[in-house]
Amino acid sequence: MRCPACGAKTEIDSQFCDACGAALAAPAAADAGAARKVVTILFADLIGSTSLQERLDAESTRRVMERYYAAMRGPVEAHGGSVVQLLGDGVMCAFGVPHVAEDDAIRAVRAAVGMQQAFREFAREEGEVVGNLGLRVAVNTGEVVVSDERPQGIGDPLNVAGRLQQEAREGDVLVGEATRRLVGEQVTLAHFGTFTLKGRAEPVPAYRVVSLERPAGAPAIAFVGREDELRRLTALYDAAVAAPAPRLAAILGSPGQGKSRLLDEFARRLGERATVLLARCDAAGGTTFAPLAGALRALLHIDDAAAGDDLHAAIEAVVPDDEPERARIAKGVAALLAGAPASPEETFFVVRRLLAGLATVQPVVLALDDVQWAEPLLLDLAEHLVQWSSGVPLLVLVAARPELRDTRSSLSTPGGLVADVVTLGGLDAGAATRLAANVI
């Protein structure tokens, strides 16, 4: 480098000139942290915010918008993303900044759906104040250049995400083509249209997220590796059956390590030998027992619209006739499924007795997935089932990220209630090669 003041040569990392003492500029410093990354961008935008500002005074508008921002931030951060910019009534989020992960795209899509759910709850709580406000969200993936000054990045994927958001309808989550390729076998999408976006020569296809469920008929990638982990879970199941008593195991692993896939494969291998309830907790939140209620409805084939006598009858049908608390169990579980559970003590009692009733036919496996997002009461229920379900062939599995060790050590530390802790790392080289070959 040369000093801009006197022209003397200086060391490249010097801050001041050795000859004249002038401060040295570092023209490349602004770009020192710049790097190319594949990130997933999420845009959310309010519909009708102009009328809101016309109807409310400045203080009321500010209060509503702060609650709106908080509602939008929750699902994003819960799924590992970050809010990188607030654009008036819009929110820009990034997944893959500062660290890129292989599941950035699917987490962004789940966060987008969670934002729509959080917005509906926000609108319900605000009532008439929000009027006819709506929310539209778009997700797009691609390569951008990120830096300390521009953590969201610079590049065409941001422009496409912003344009797709403008094409979305109220309540929609749209994804771009690159995102579709990454998540198309994990969530159900529908072609929304092909748009000519301002500033782009090529038309851009868009897809609407129909549900977060796996699309019907989607090919499943063959399960590889994890045989040791499956043997450990199977051994616990066999022990719970041989000497009927509850067992508890924790499955811990970072995002993307395959906790959910392991649970699914374990349930598949059990087949008709056991009654399996798979409850997945949602980062977007919801009622405390909603994951369990969803699992019970699926197991008992109870439609979401079922209520009253139909609901009671469906529950009583799986409770043994000689159960003295049959009516009490049906009433309590019906309240749970209706989203208005009784006291925690009563809810714990009826769930425990219901599972005991199911276990008179065949062993029961209760798998709680993503419990890092579970409400404390749901974790209390898992502990209650293991402590009080004496003489019942019951296996309780809790799958979570490693932070469960800090938030609920009683469910993630060997000894006490926990019979085994299965910690997932990366696949070995052979399994990784087979997985890659299967995908290709």
Side-chain angles (χ1 to χ4, degrees), residues 7-345:
K9 291 184 178 181
T10 65
E11 296 294 329
I12 197 166
D13 57 351
S14 296
Q15 295 183 351
F16 300 94
C17 176
D18 293 332
C20 69
L24 300 176
D31 295 329
R36 286 178 176 267
K37 287 186 176 182
V38 176
V39 303
T40 298
I41 299 297
L42 185 158
F43 267 109
D45 185 57
L46 272 180
I47 301 173
S49 60
T50 302
S51 63
L52 176 72
Q53 297 176 27
E54 291 176 347
R55 290 185 291 105
L56 301 180
D57 56 51
E59 289 79 8
S60 298
T61 300
R62 178 173 176 271
R63 181 190 64 82
V64 172
M65 293 304 296
E66 285 179 348
R67 291 206 59 193
Y68 159 70
Y69 290 138
M72 297 299 96
R73 188 183 299 273
V76 173
E77 295 181 347
H79 283 89
S82 57
V83 175
V84 294
Q85 197 170 0
L86 299 178
L87 307 165
D89 54 7
V91 180
M92 182 196 297
C93 313
F95 291 76
V97 177
H99 303 295
V100 176
E102 73 284 350
D103 61 344
D104 284 333
I106 186 61
R107 288 188 289 108
V109 171
R110 290 169 179 161
V113 174
M115 292 171 82
Q116 289 287 9
Q117 295 170 345
F119 178 79
R120 288 192 290 271
E121 180 65 19
F122 157 78
R124 185 189 65 79
E125 293 177 354
E126 292 293 333
E128 296 181 358
V129 174
V130 300
N132 295 322
L133 286 183
L135 184 73
R136 53 192 179 192
V137 188
V139 181
N140 191 49
T141 304
E143 188 178 65
V144 300
V145 176
V146 300
S147 63
D148 294 339
E149 291 75 18
R150 296 292 297 270
Q152 73 274 21
I154 300 176
D156 185 60
L158 278 77
N159 301 328
V160 173
R163 298 288 191 272
L164 289 180
Q165 171 266 125
Q166 295 173 3
E167 299 292 343
R169 300 171 304 200
E170 178 183 345
D172 278 346
V173 173
L174 296 188
V175 304
E177 176 63 28
T179 306
R180 181 201 66 79
R181 290 198 299 268
L182 294 169
V183 306
E185 294 185 359
Q186 301 176 70
V187 300
T188 302
L189 304 174
H191 187 259
F192 185 77
T194 301
F195 303 98
T196 301
L197 304 182
K198 183 179 179 181
R200 285 184 60 90
E202 297 294 328
V204 175
Y207 304 85
R208 183 175 61 87
V209 178
V210 178
S211 79
L212 294 179
E213 299 297 324
R214 186 181 178 86
I221 298 172
F223 187 84
V224 299
R226 308 298 189 203
E227 293 300 327
D228 179 62
E229 290 86 349
L230 284 170
R231 280 193 293 269
R232 289 164 64 178
L233 297 181
T234 302
L236 283 177
Y237 170 81
D238 292 340
V241 174
R247 301 289 193 280
L248 171 65
I251 302 171
L252 304 181
S254 300
Q257 293 290 358
K259 300 182 294 295
S260 300
R261 187 73 172 89
L262 179 62
L263 288 177
D264 291 340
E265 180 65 15
F266 179 61
R268 188 190 70 80
R269 295 194 183 188
L270 285 178
E272 300 298 323
R273 292 188 291 151
T275 297
V276 179
L277 289 90
L278 182 55
R280 301 190 191 278
C281 302
D282 188 353
T287 58
T288 298
F289 299 110
L292 179 60
L296 286 172
R297 281 187 178 273
L299 175 71
L300 304 178
H301 304 289
I302 299 176
D303 186 80
D304 289 344
D309 294 340
D310 293 339
L311 190 57
H312 280 256
I315 298 168
E316 285 191 352
V318 299
V319 180
D321 294 337
D322 59 353
E323 167 59 64
E325 301 286 355
R326 195 163 182 246
R328 179 182 175 186
I329 293 171
K331 178 182 178 181
V333 175
L336 173 67
L337 299 188
S343 67
E345 294 80 6

